[in-house]
Coordinates of all heavy atoms in Angstrom, one line a residue:
Chain A
L36 N -2.6 11.7 9.2 CA -4.1 11.8 9.1 C -4.7 10.5 9.6 O -5.9 10.3 9.7 CB -4.5 12.0 7.7 CG -4.3 13.5 7.3 CD1 -4.5 13.6 5.8 CD2 -5.4 14.4 8.0
L38 N -4.4 7.6 8.0 CA -5.0 7.0 6.8 C -3.9 6.1 6.2 O -2.8 6.1 6.6 CB -5.3 8.0 5.8 CG -6.2 9.1 6.3 CD1 -6.4 10.2 5.2 CD2 -7.6 8.6 6.7
A43 N -6.3 9.5 -1.3 CA -7.5 9.7 -0.5 C -7.3 10.8 0.5 O -8.1 11.7 0.7 CB -8.0 8.5 0.1
A44 N -6.1 10.8 1.1 CA -5.8 11.8 2.1 C -5.8 13.2 1.5 O -6.4 14.2 2.0 CB -4.4 11.6 2.7
G47 N -9.3 14.2 0.7 CA -10.0 14.6 2.0 C -9.7 16.0 2.4 O -10.5 16.8 2.8
L48 N -8.4 16.3 2.3 CA -7.9 17.6 2.8 C -8.5 18.7 1.9 O -9.0 19.7 2.4 CB -6.4 17.6 2.7 CG -5.7 18.5 3.6 CD1 -6.0 18.1 5.1 CD2 -4.2 18.3 3.5
A50 N -11.3 18.5 0.2 CA -12.7 18.7 0.5 C -13.0 19.5 1.8 O -13.8 20.3 1.8 CB -13.4 17.3 0.6
A51 N -12.1 19.2 2.8 CA -12.2 19.9 4.0 C -12.0 21.4 3.8 O -12.7 22.3 4.3 CB -11.3 19.4 5.0
A54 N -15.0 23.0 2.2 CA -16.1 23.1 3.2 C -15.8 24.3 4.1 O -16.7 25.1 4.4 CB -16.2 21.8 4.0
P63 N -25.8 28.2 9.1 CA -26.4 29.2 9.9 C -25.4 30.1 10.6 O -24.2 29.7 10.8 CB -27.2 28.5 10.9 CG -27.3 27.1 10.5 CD -26.2 26.8 9.6
Y64 N -25.7 31.3 10.9 CA -24.8 32.3 11.4 C -24.0 31.8 12.6 O -22.8 32.0 12.6 CB -25.5 33.6 11.7 CG -24.7 34.8 11.9 CD1 -23.9 35.2 10.8 CD2 -24.6 35.5 13.1 CE1 -23.1 36.3 10.9 CE2 -23.8 36.6 13.2 CZ -23.1 37.0 12.1 OH -22.3 38.2 12.2
F65 N -24.6 31.2 13.6 CA -23.9 30.9 14.8 C -22.9 29.8 14.6 O -21.9 29.7 15.4 CB -24.9 30.5 15.9 CG -25.6 29.2 15.7 CD1 -25.0 28.0 16.1 CD2 -26.8 29.2 15.0 CE1 -25.6 26.8 15.9 CE2 -27.4 28.0 14.8 CZ -26.8 26.8 15.2
V66 N -23.0 29.0 13.5 CA -22.0 28.0 13.3 C -20.6 28.6 13.0 O -19.6 28.0 13.3 CB -22.4 27.1 12.0 CG1 -21.3 26.2 11.6 CG2 -23.7 26.4 12.4
F68 N -19.3 31.0 14.7 CA -18.7 31.1 16.0 C -18.1 29.8 16.4 O -17.0 29.7 17.0 CB -19.7 31.6 17.0 CG -20.1 33.0 16.8 CD1 -21.3 33.3 16.2 CD2 -19.2 34.1 17.2 CE1 -21.7 34.7 16.0 CE2 -19.6 35.4 17.0 CZ -20.8 35.7 16.4
E72 N -14.1 28.9 16.9 CA -13.6 28.3 18.2 C -12.8 27.0 18.0 O -11.8 26.8 18.5 CB -14.7 28.2 19.2 CG -14.2 28.0 20.6 CD -15.3 27.9 21.6 OE1 -16.5 28.1 21.3 OE2 -15.0 27.6 22.8
H165 N -4.1 36.8 38.1 CA -5.3 37.0 38.9 C -5.1 38.1 40.0 O -6.0 38.8 40.3 CB -5.5 35.7 39.6 CG -6.9 35.6 40.3 ND1 -7.0 35.9 41.7 CD2 -8.1 35.3 39.9 CE1 -8.3 35.8 42.0 NE2 -8.9 35.4 40.9
R168 N -4.1 43.2 39.8 CA -5.3 43.9 39.3 C -5.1 45.1 38.5 O -5.8 45.4 37.6 CB -6.1 44.2 40.6 CG -7.6 43.9 40.5 CD -8.4 44.4 41.6 NE -9.5 45.2 41.1 CZ -10.5 44.7 40.5 NH1 -10.6 43.4 40.4 NH2 -11.5 45.4 40.1
T174 N -9.6 39.4 38.6 CA -10.6 38.4 38.2 C -11.6 38.9 37.2 O -12.2 38.2 36.5 CB -11.4 37.9 39.5 OG1 -12.2 36.8 39.1 CG2 -12.2 39.0 40.1
D175 N -11.7 40.3 37.0 CA -12.6 40.8 36.0 C -12.0 40.7 34.6 O -12.7 40.8 33.6 CB -12.9 42.3 36.3 CG -13.6 42.4 37.6 OD1 -14.5 41.5 37.9 OD2 -13.4 43.4 38.3
A178 N -11.2 43.8 29.2 CA -12.3 43.8 28.3 C -12.5 45.2 27.6 O -11.7 46.1 28.0 CB -13.6 43.4 29.0
G179 N -13.4 45.3 26.8 CA -13.7 46.6 26.2 C -12.6 47.1 25.3 O -12.4 48.3 25.1
F268 N -11.6 37.2 19.9 CA -12.8 36.5 19.5 C -13.8 36.5 20.7 O -15.0 36.8 20.4 CB -12.4 35.0 19.3 CG -13.6 34.1 19.0 CD1 -14.5 34.3 18.0 CD2 -13.9 33.0 19.9 CE1 -15.6 33.5 17.7 CE2 -14.9 32.2 19.7 CZ -15.8 32.4 18.6
N269 N -13.4 36.4 21.9 CA -14.3 36.4 23.0 C -14.5 37.8 23.6 O -15.3 38.0 24.5 CB -13.8 35.5 24.2 CG -14.2 34.1 24.0 OD1 -15.3 33.8 23.7 ND2 -13.2 33.2 24.0
R270 N -13.8 38.7 23.0 CA -13.9 40.1 23.5 C -13.4 40.3 24.9 O -13.7 41.3 25.5 CB -15.3 40.7 23.4 CG -15.9 40.6 22.0 CD -15.3 41.6 21.0 NE -16.1 41.5 19.8 CZ -15.8 40.8 18.7 NH1 -14.7 40.1 18.7 NH2 -16.6 40.9 17.6
I271 N -12.7 39.4 25.4 CA -12.2 39.5 26.8 C -11.1 38.6 27.1 O -11.0 37.5 26.5 CB -13.4 39.3 27.8 CG1 -13.0 39.8 29.2 CG2 -13.8 37.8 27.9 CD1 -14.2 39.8 30.1
V273 N -9.5 36.6 30.4 CA -9.8 36.4 31.8 C -8.8 35.4 32.4 O -8.2 34.6 31.7 CB -11.2 35.9 32.1 CG1 -12.2 36.9 31.9 CG2 -11.5 34.7 31.2
E275 N -9.1 32.7 33.9 CA -9.4 31.3 33.7 C -8.7 30.8 32.5 O -8.5 29.6 32.4 CB -11.0 31.1 33.5 CG -11.8 31.1 34.7 CD -12.0 32.5 35.3 OE1 -11.7 33.4 34.6 OE2 -12.4 32.6 36.5
F298 N -3.3 15.4 12.8 CA -4.6 16.1 12.9 C -5.5 15.6 14.0 O -6.6 16.0 14.1 CB -5.3 15.9 11.5 CG -4.7 16.8 10.5 CD1 -4.0 16.4 9.4 CD2 -5.0 18.2 10.5 CE1 -3.5 17.2 8.4 CE2 -4.5 19.1 9.6 CZ -3.7 18.6 8.5
L301 N -6.8 18.4 16.3 CA -7.8 19.3 15.6 C -9.1 18.6 15.5 O -10.2 19.1 15.8 CB -7.3 19.7 14.2 CG -8.2 20.5 13.4 CD1 -8.5 21.9 14.1 CD2 -7.7 20.8 12.0
F302 N -9.0 17.3 15.1 CA -10.2 16.5 15.1 C -10.9 16.4 16.5 O -12.1 16.5 16.6 CB -9.9 15.1 14.6 CG -11.1 14.2 14.3 CD1 -11.9 14.5 13.3 CD2 -11.3 13.1 15.1 CE1 -13.0 13.7 13.1 CE2 -12.4 12.3 14.9 CZ -13.3 12.6 13.9
T309 N -18.1 20.4 19.4 CA -19.4 20.1 18.8 C -20.3 19.3 19.8 O -21.5 19.6 20.0 CB -19.3 19.2 17.5 OG1 -18.3 19.7 16.8 CG2 -20.6 19.2 16.8
R312 N -21.6 21.7 22.5 CA -22.7 22.5 22.0 C -24.0 21.6 22.0 O -25.1 22.0 22.4 CB -22.5 22.9 20.6 CG -21.6 24.1 20.5 CD -22.3 25.4 20.5 NE -21.4 26.5 20.7 CZ -21.7 27.7 20.6 NH1 -23.0 28.0 20.1 NH2 -20.9 28.7 20.8
W313 N -23.8 20.4 21.5 CA -25.0 19.6 21.3 C -25.6 19.1 22.6 O -26.8 19.3 22.8 CB -24.5 18.4 20.4 CG -25.6 17.4 20.1 CD1 -26.9 17.7 19.5 CD2 -25.6 16.0 20.2 NE1 -27.6 16.6 19.3 CE2 -26.8 15.5 19.7 CE3 -24.6 15.1 20.7 CZ2 -27.1 14.2 19.7 CZ3 -24.9 13.8 20.7 CH2 -26.2 13.3 20.2
T315 N -25.1 20.4 25.6 CA -25.5 21.5 26.5 C -26.9 22.1 26.1 O -27.5 22.8 26.9 CB -24.5 22.6 26.6 OG1 -24.2 23.1 25.3 CG2 -23.3 22.2 27.4
S316 N -27.3 21.8 24.9 CA -28.7 22.2 24.5 C -29.7 21.4 25.2 O -30.9 21.7 25.3 CB -28.9 22.3 23.0 OG -28.6 21.0 22.5
F344 N -9.5 4.4 12.5 CA -9.4 4.3 11.1 C -8.0 3.9 10.6 O -7.8 3.8 9.4 CB -9.8 5.7 10.5 CG -11.2 6.1 10.8 CD1 -11.4 7.2 11.6 CD2 -12.3 5.4 10.4 CE1 -12.6 7.6 12.0 CE2 -13.5 5.8 10.8 CZ -13.7 6.9 11.6
R346 N -5.1 1.6 9.9 CA -4.8 0.2 9.8 C -3.3 -0.1 9.9 O -2.8 -1.2 9.8 CB -5.2 -0.4 8.4 CG -6.7 -0.7 8.5 CD -7.3 -0.7 7.1 NE -8.4 0.2 7.0 CZ -9.1 0.4 5.8 NH1 -8.7 -0.2 4.8 NH2 -10.1 1.2 5.8
Chain B
M12 N -10.2 10.6 2.5 CA -11.5 10.0 2.6 C -12.1 10.2 4.0 O -13.2 10.7 4.2 CB -11.5 8.5 2.3 CG -12.8 7.8 2.4 SD -14.2 8.7 1.6 CE -14.2 8.0 0.0
R13 N -11.3 9.8 5.0 CA -11.8 10.0 6.4 C -12.0 11.4 6.7 O -12.9 11.8 7.4 CB -10.7 9.4 7.3 CG -10.5 7.9 7.1 CD -11.7 7.1 7.3 NE -11.5 5.7 7.1 CZ -12.0 5.0 6.1 NH1 -12.8 5.6 5.2 NH2 -11.7 3.7 5.9
R14 N -11.1 12.3 6.1 CA -11.2 13.7 6.4 C -12.5 14.2 5.8 O -13.2 15.0 6.4 CB -10.0 14.4 5.7 CG -9.8 15.8 6.2 CD -8.9 15.8 7.4 NE -8.3 17.1 7.4 CZ -8.6 18.0 8.3 NH1 -9.4 17.8 9.2 NH2 -8.0 19.2 8.2
L15 N -12.9 13.7 4.7 CA -14.2 14.1 4.1 C -15.3 13.7 4.9 O -16.2 14.4 5.2 CB -14.3 13.4 2.7 CG -15.6 13.7 1.9 CD1 -15.6 15.2 1.6 CD2 -15.6 12.9 0.6
K17 N -15.2 13.3 8.0 CA -15.2 14.2 9.2 C -15.9 15.5 8.8 O -16.6 16.0 9.6 CB -13.7 14.5 9.6 CG -13.6 15.5 10.7 CD -12.2 16.1 10.7 CE -12.3 17.6 11.1 NZ -11.1 18.3 10.9
S18 N -15.6 16.0 7.6 CA -16.2 17.3 7.3 C -17.7 17.1 7.1 O -18.5 17.9 7.6 CB -15.7 17.8 5.9 OG -14.3 17.7 5.9
S21 N -19.2 17.1 10.4 CA -19.3 18.4 11.0 C -20.5 19.1 10.5 O -21.2 19.8 11.3 CB -18.1 19.2 10.7 OG -16.9 18.5 10.8
F24 N -23.5 17.6 12.1 CA -23.7 18.1 13.5 C -24.2 19.5 13.5 O -25.1 19.8 14.3 CB -22.3 18.2 14.1 CG -21.9 16.9 14.8 CD1 -20.7 16.3 14.5 CD2 -22.7 16.3 15.8 CE1 -20.3 15.1 15.2 CE2 -22.3 15.2 16.5 CZ -21.1 14.6 16.1
A25 N -23.7 20.3 12.6 CA -24.2 21.7 12.5 C -25.7 21.8 12.2 O -26.4 22.6 12.8 CB -23.4 22.5 11.5
L27 N -27.8 19.6 13.0 CA -28.6 19.2 14.2 C -28.7 20.3 15.1 O -29.6 20.3 16.0 CB -27.8 18.0 14.9 CG -27.9 16.7 14.3 CD1 -27.1 15.7 15.1 CD2 -29.4 16.2 14.4
L28 N -27.8 21.3 15.0 CA -27.8 22.4 16.0 C -28.9 23.4 15.6 O -29.1 24.4 16.3 CB -26.5 23.0 16.1 CG -25.4 22.1 16.7 CD1 -24.0 22.8 16.6 CD2 -25.7 21.9 18.2
L29 N -29.4 23.3 14.4 CA -30.4 24.3 13.9 C -31.6 24.3 14.9 O -32.1 23.2 15.1 CB -30.8 24.0 12.5 CG -29.9 24.5 11.4 CD1 -30.4 24.0 10.1 CD2 -30.0 26.0 11.3
P30 N -32.0 25.4 15.3 CA -33.2 25.4 16.2 C -34.4 25.0 15.4 O -34.5 25.4 14.3 CB -33.2 26.8 16.8 CG -32.5 27.6 15.8 CD -31.5 26.7 15.1
K90 N -18.9 34.3 35.3 CA -17.7 34.5 34.4 C -18.1 35.3 33.2 O -19.0 34.9 32.5 CB -17.1 33.2 34.0 CG -16.7 32.4 35.2 CD -15.7 31.2 34.9 CE -15.3 30.6 36.2 NZ -15.3 29.2 36.1
A91 N -17.3 36.3 32.9 CA -17.6 37.2 31.8 C -17.6 36.4 30.4 O -18.4 36.6 29.6 CB -16.7 38.4 31.8
D92 N -16.5 35.6 30.3 CA -16.4 34.9 29.0 C -17.6 34.0 28.7 O -18.1 33.8 27.6 CB -15.0 34.2 28.8 CG -14.7 33.3 29.9 OD1 -15.2 33.6 31.1 OD2 -14.1 32.3 29.7
I95 N -20.6 36.1 27.8 CA -20.5 36.5 26.4 C -20.9 35.4 25.4 O -21.7 35.6 24.5 CB -19.1 37.1 26.0 CG1 -18.9 38.4 26.8 CG2 -18.9 37.3 24.6 CD1 -17.4 38.9 26.7
Q96 N -20.4 34.2 25.7 CA -20.8 33.1 24.8 C -22.3 32.8 24.9 O -22.9 32.5 23.9 CB -20.0 31.9 25.2 CG -18.5 31.9 24.7 CD -17.8 30.7 25.0 OE1 -18.3 29.8 25.7 NE2 -16.6 30.6 24.5
R99 N -24.2 35.3 22.9 CA -24.1 35.1 21.5 C -25.1 33.9 21.1 O -25.8 33.9 20.1 CB -22.7 34.7 21.1 CG -21.8 35.9 20.9 CD -20.4 35.4 20.5 NE -19.6 36.6 20.3 CZ -18.3 36.5 20.2 NH1 -17.7 35.4 20.4 NH2 -17.6 37.6 20.0
K100 N -25.0 32.9 22.0 CA -25.9 31.7 21.7 C -27.4 32.2 21.7 O -28.2 31.8 20.9 CB -25.6 30.7 22.8 CG -26.5 29.4 22.6 CD -26.1 28.4 23.7 CE -27.1 27.3 23.7 NZ -27.0 26.4 24.8
Y103 N -27.9 34.5 18.5 CA -27.8 34.0 17.1 C -28.4 32.6 17.0 O -28.9 32.3 15.9 CB -26.3 33.9 16.8 CG -25.6 35.2 16.7 CD1 -24.5 35.4 17.4 CD2 -26.1 36.2 15.9 CE1 -23.8 36.6 17.4 CE2 -25.5 37.4 15.9 CZ -24.3 37.6 16.6 OH -23.7 38.8 16.5
Q104 N -28.4 31.8 18.0 CA -28.9 30.5 17.9 C -30.4 30.4 18.3 O -31.2 29.8 17.6 CB -28.1 29.5 18.7 CG -28.3 28.1 18.4 CD -27.3 27.2 19.2 OE1 -26.2 27.6 19.4 NE2 -27.7 26.0 19.5
K106 N -32.3 33.1 18.9 CA -33.0 34.3 18.3 C -33.9 35.0 19.3 O -35.1 35.2 19.0 CB -33.9 33.8 17.1 CG -33.1 32.9 16.1 CD -32.7 33.7 14.8 CE -32.3 32.7 13.7 NZ -31.0 32.3 13.8
S116 N -20.9 42.1 38.8 CA -20.4 43.4 38.2 C -19.3 43.1 37.2 O -19.2 43.8 36.2 CB -19.9 44.3 39.3 OG -21.0 44.8 40.0
G117 N -18.4 42.1 37.5 CA -17.3 41.8 36.6 C -17.9 41.3 35.2 O -17.4 41.7 34.2
V118 N -18.9 40.5 35.3 CA -19.5 40.0 34.1 C -20.2 41.2 33.3 O -20.1 41.3 32.1 CB -20.6 39.0 34.4 CG1 -21.4 38.6 33.2 CG2 -20.0 37.7 35.0
N120 N -19.4 44.3 33.3 CA -18.3 45.1 32.6 C -17.8 44.4 31.4 O -17.4 45.1 30.4 CB -17.2 45.4 33.6 CG -17.5 46.5 34.5 OD1 -18.4 47.3 34.2 ND2 -16.8 46.6 35.6
G121 N -17.7 43.1 31.4 CA -17.2 42.4 30.2 C -18.3 42.3 29.1 O -17.9 42.4 27.9
P124 N -19.6 46.1 26.6 CA -19.1 46.5 25.4 C -19.4 45.6 24.2 O -19.3 46.0 23.0 CB -17.6 46.5 25.6 CG -17.4 46.4 27.1 CD -18.6 45.7 27.6
V125 N -19.8 44.4 24.5 CA -20.1 43.4 23.4 C -21.6 43.6 22.9 O -21.9 43.2 21.8 CB -19.9 42.0 23.9 CG1 -20.2 41.0 22.8 CG2 -18.5 41.8 24.4
E128 N -22.7 44.9 19.3 CA -22.6 44.0 18.1 C -23.8 43.0 18.0 O -24.1 42.6 17.0 CB -21.4 43.1 18.1 CG -20.3 43.4 19.0 CD -19.2 42.3 18.9 OE1 -19.5 41.1 18.6 OE2 -18.1 42.7 19.2
D184 N -12.7 40.7 46.1 CA -11.6 41.3 45.3 C -12.0 41.3 43.8 O -11.4 40.6 43.0 CB -10.3 40.5 45.5 CG -9.1 41.1 44.8 OD1 -9.2 42.3 44.5 OD2 -8.1 40.5 44.7
Y185 N -13.0 42.0 43.5 CA -13.3 42.3 42.0 C -14.0 43.6 42.0 O -14.1 44.3 43.0 CB -14.1 41.1 41.4 CG -15.5 41.1 41.7 CD1 -16.5 41.3 40.7 CD2 -16.0 40.8 43.0 CE1 -17.8 41.2 41.0 CE2 -17.4 40.7 43.3 CZ -18.3 40.9 42.3 OH -19.6 40.8 42.5
A186 N -14.5 44.0 40.8 CA -15.1 45.3 40.6 C -16.0 45.8 41.7 O -15.9 46.9 42.2 CB -15.8 45.3 39.2
F187 N -16.9 44.9 42.1 CA -17.9 45.3 43.1 C -17.3 45.7 44.4 O -17.7 46.7 45.0 CB -18.9 44.1 43.3 CG -20.0 44.5 44.2 CD1 -21.0 45.4 43.9 CD2 -20.0 43.9 45.5 CE1 -22.0 45.7 44.8 CE2 -21.1 44.2 46.4 CZ -22.0 45.1 46.0
H189 N -14.2 46.6 45.2 CA -13.4 47.8 45.1 C -14.2 49.1 44.9 O -13.9 50.1 45.5 CB -12.3 47.6 43.9 CG -11.3 46.6 44.3 ND1 -10.1 47.0 44.9 CD2 -11.2 45.3 44.0 CE1 -9.3 45.9 45.0 NE2 -10.0 44.9 44.5
R215 N -10.4 37.1 48.2 CA -10.7 36.6 46.9 C -12.2 36.4 46.7 O -12.9 35.9 47.7 CB -10.0 35.3 46.7 CG -9.8 34.9 45.2 CD -8.8 33.6 45.1 NE -9.1 32.7 46.2 CZ -9.9 31.6 46.0 NH1 -10.5 31.4 44.9 NH2 -10.0 30.8 47.0
F216 N -12.8 36.8 45.6 CA -14.2 36.6 45.3 C -14.4 35.1 45.2 O -13.9 34.4 44.5 CB -14.5 37.2 43.9 CG -15.9 37.2 43.5 CD1 -17.0 37.2 44.4 CD2 -16.2 37.3 42.2 CE1 -18.3 37.2 44.0 CE2 -17.6 37.3 41.7 CZ -18.6 37.3 42.7

Side-chain angles (χ1 to χ4, degrees):
Chain A
L36 283 166
L38 308 174
L48 210 56
Y64 196 59
F65 68 88
V66 173
F68 291 101
E72 197 178 353
H165 191 264
R168 224 188 128 73
T174 187
D175 297 324
F268 172 62
N269 277 311
R270 305 285 188 266
I271 194 169
V273 285
E275 280 78 13
F298 281 108
L301 178 61
F302 185 70
T309 317
R312 284 267 164 167
W313 184 49
T315 51
S316 55
F344 300 115
R346 279 161 235 174
Chain B
M12 178 44 94
R13 300 298 178 247
R14 195 88 155 108
L15 179 64
K17 173 202 147 192
S18 311
S21 315
F24 271 126
L27 283 175
L28 295 171
L29 277 171
K90 303 197 173 136
D92 53 328
I95 291 171
Q96 285 184 353
R99 282 180 174 162
K100 179 177 169 192
Y103 297 126
Q104 195 172 328
K106 313 255 194 279
S116 289
V118 172
N120 278 341
V125 180
E128 343 174 333
D184 188 15
Y185 79 113
F187 181 71
H189 289 270
R215 200 171 43 93
F216 186 27

